[in-house]
Amino acid sequence: MRALIVDPDAPGSLRLGTTAEPQAAPHQLVVDVRHISLNRGEVAFAGRLPAGTVHGYDAAGVVVRAATDGTGPSVGARVTAFGAGAWAQRMAVDTSAVAEVPAQVDLADAAALPMAGITALRTLRSRSILGRRVLITGAAGGVGRYAVQLAALGGAQVIASVGSSTRADGLAELGAHQVVVGLEGIDRPVDLILDNVGGQQLAAAWELLAPGGGVQNIGWASGEPAVFAPYSLFSVGPAKTMTTFGDVHEVGPDLATLLDFVAAGRLSPEVDRRGSWERVAEAAQALLDRRIAGKVVLDVERAAAD
């Protein structure tokens, strides 16, 4: 079958190639993949993986083989899935990492949700946000645009931070109460920071955190180290915390929650670019160049013999 595989000599270290059919464990089903979604981190670090690896985690399609242990959706179900090796014509995935797609939700939109949507949802659940001030850095990206919407749904006062004024478009309409470039104009402490940027902006954002507040480290788009001044991590009063995020265990129920929001018109999938996976190099470069506001979805096209 065809798949997007790691090739250090290819543009962006990814190319269309061929690989073996997936072998499903008893707790896994096989999805005929129709659409995949790229995430900036996956693209940026593709070259670090062994050559020939089938890359990617986000996909949506139709179940063609149900799990032999009896769990999960049946053959013919439309699903979105999160799992390694997603950027292929077929993928084997744990039944605990899929959710059925409501009839009113397009499969291409469903493909955009898994990694970015789960990251936004679970980091926002790290503490109560009703009536709290939530700062989202890198808010124009995939995680950021979902986080703005979900934080607003949760009753937060949402501050969206972007890298330039041109990246601010649409964030107020998604629910941001304040849109800033960098950290300019934030004049009161915040209770929760979802940080996608890292670097010196992270160190500066820490100074804005209220006693008892927390930072969720999601990404490090700046590629720069964060240097904290001596004693800057000390504060009097309730402890401030900084936490890494990487919990992608059994995401099926949370995928279902995100899909329900989309079906109800409460969450926009924010697909900014859609096209054929034949043009993956162009799409990947657009992500790396920060020319994408939200998500990239690619259609998995088939040759006549497939």
Side-chain angles (χ1 to χ4, degrees):
M1 67 174 181
R2 302 176 82 202
L4 289 175
I5 61 175
V6 173
D7 181 348
D9 297 324
S13 299
L14 288 169
R15 66 172 175 83
L16 267 173
T18 58
T19 191
E21 292 285 340
Q23 300 299 309
H27 64 285
Q28 293 182 316
L29 51 76
V30 177
V31 178
D32 183 65
V33 176
R34 307 292 173 83
H35 311 280
I36 60 174
S37 177
L38 310 186
N39 296 287
R40 191 174 186 276
E42 292 168 315
V43 171
F45 297 112
R48 299 187 183 187
L49 299 173
T53 300
V54 179
H55 200 21
Y57 283 83
D58 292 357
V62 178
V63 177
V64 292
R65 189 183 313 155
T68 58
D69 69 356
T71 61
S74 58
V75 171
R78 300 165 71 246
V79 298
T80 188
F82 178 88
W87 296 352
Q89 288 180 312
R90 285 166 291 281
M91 70 177 295
V93 60
D94 295 356
T95 57
S96 62
V98 301
E100 293 199 47
V101 178
Q104 61 268 51
V105 176
D106 188 275
L107 273 179
D109 289 340
L113 294 173
M115 182 174 286
I118 292 297
T119 301
L121 183 65
R122 290 192 170 183
T123 50
L124 286 168
R125 281 180 176 161
S126 63
R127 61 184 56 227
S128 172
I129 62 171
L130 180 62
R132 305 292 187 182
R133 286 169 55 81
V134 175
L135 169 63
I136 300 161
T137 68
V143 174
R145 296 181 86 86
Y146 288 151
V148 166
Q149 296 178 78
L150 293 170
L153 282 173
Q157 183 79 15
V158 183
I159 306 161
S161 167
V162 294
S164 66
S165 58
T166 59
R167 299 280 282 168
D169 290 351
L171 291 172
E173 291 77 7
L174 291 178
H177 299 87
Q178 182 180 3
V179 182
V180 300
V181 176
L183 303 177
E184 295 178 11
I186 304 177
D187 55 4
R188 289 192 290 132
V190 298
D191 301 293
L192 175 64
I193 301 171
L194 271 57
D195 182 60
N196 292 282
V197 176
Q200 282 308 109
Q201 183 171 293
L202 170 59
W206 176 263
E207 299 295 331
L208 294 170
L209 199 61
V215 177
Q216 289 282 328
N217 294 113
I218 297 170
W220 209 279
S222 68
E224 301 172 351
V227 180
F228 291 83
Y231 299 105
S232 63
L233 298 181
F234 174 81
S235 66
V236 176
K240 302 197 295 186
T241 60
M242 190 179 303
T243 307
T244 60
F245 173 77
D247 178 16
V248 291
H249 180 64
E250 296 186 349
V251 299
D254 286 343
L255 281 175
T257 295
L258 294 167
L259 287 164
D260 285 344
F261 282 144
V262 174
R266 303 177 72 191
L267 179 68
S268 166
E270 291 299 292
V271 177
D272 186 47
R273 180 172 180 148
R274 181 176 171 186
S276 169
W277 70 341
E278 301 275 356
R279 303 180 69 177
V280 63
E282 296 174 32
Q285 194 59 53
L287 269 176
L288 294 176
D289 293 343
R290 295 185 175 86
R291 289 184 279 117
I292 301 296
K295 296 290 296 176
V296 171
V297 171
L298 300 181
D299 303 328
V300 177
E301 297 173 348
R302 281 153 171 75
D306 293 329

